[in-house]
Amino acid sequence: MVPVTFLQVDLDRDLSFGRLLKSMLEAGWLASRADGIGAILCDLDGTYEWLYRRESELASLRAQLQNRFSEGWTVGVVLWWRDPPNVSVNLVLRPHGHISFMIGAERKELNELPELADASWYLSRLLPALTRVDREASILNVQWSEVW
């Protein structure tokens, strides 16, 4: 059984969704899989669902996510690492500086303990991208958890 792995980061302020996504892409994350499919978190009639679409369809939807986030909505996007390309995180941005990453089923694991995700690998690729968005933002809390 593969555990569900989460990284929760709390900041002292909200980040711009658009600037955060841009920083993640500049850090090496991709907004779509090799087959051109990407995903965003959408509110569909009061329930949040991951919406998978071709990258060309998602560009305008991502722009709408920034507006939604500015209005106090929770927003999200799935990101894939460039190499190995199947490693992914679901990035969820909530108001009041709360950012969650759910590590995908295809994940970077510790060589010595393959049942555990390599926390150091993820932290070194996620946290610097967060701090580049707003140099004034302070990280208040970082919590890593794996649940079986």
Side-chain angles (χ1 to χ4, degrees):
M1 174 171 29
V2 176
V4 177
T5 306
F6 294 97
L7 170 63
Q8 173 68 39
V9 180
D10 296 320
L11 303 175
D12 65 346
R13 67 189 72 203
D14 283 338
L15 298 179
S16 158
F17 175 76
R19 289 180 54 203
L20 176 56
L21 180 58
K22 181 178 185 239
S23 182
M24 298 298 285
L25 298 176
E26 289 171 352
W29 293 93
L30 305 171
S32 62
R33 302 184 307 220
D35 64 2
I37 300 294
I40 61 170
L41 185 65
C42 292
D43 176 30
L44 303 173
D45 302 323
T47 61
Y48 285 96
E49 305 250 348
W50 289 100
L51 178 67
Y52 286 82
R53 295 286 187 269
R54 290 214 111 0
E55 179 60 30
S56 59
E57 297 173 52
L58 289 175
S60 64
L61 292 173
R62 282 194 199 102
Q64 293 174 28
L65 288 182
Q66 176 59 44
N67 294 334
R68 288 262 174 117
F69 183 67
S70 298
E71 296 168 359
W73 292 70
T74 296
V75 297
V77 63
V78 178
L79 300 170
W80 288 266
W81 187 247
R82 64 178 177 257
D83 187 32
N86 291 336
V87 171
S88 66
V89 296
N90 295 4
L91 163 64
V92 178
L93 194 59
R94 298 185 328 257
H96 310 297
H98 302 295
I99 303 169
S100 299
F101 299 93
M102 187 174 116
I103 309 305
E106 294 288 327
R107 60 200 198 131
K108 189 75 171 150
E109 298 171 336
L110 288 173
N111 291 333
E112 303 82 20
L113 296 165
E115 64 274 10
L116 297 176
D118 187 344
S120 177
W121 187 91
Y122 285 97
L123 292 171
S124 69
R125 285 159 180 81
L126 296 171
L127 293 182
L130 290 178
T131 59
R132 279 193 298 271
V133 174
D134 183 344
R135 299 266 183 211
E136 301 296 317
S138 295
I139 296 175
L140 303 175
N141 181 51
V142 174
Q143 182 178 347
W144 180 271
S145 61
E146 296 199 55
V147 181
W148 282 266

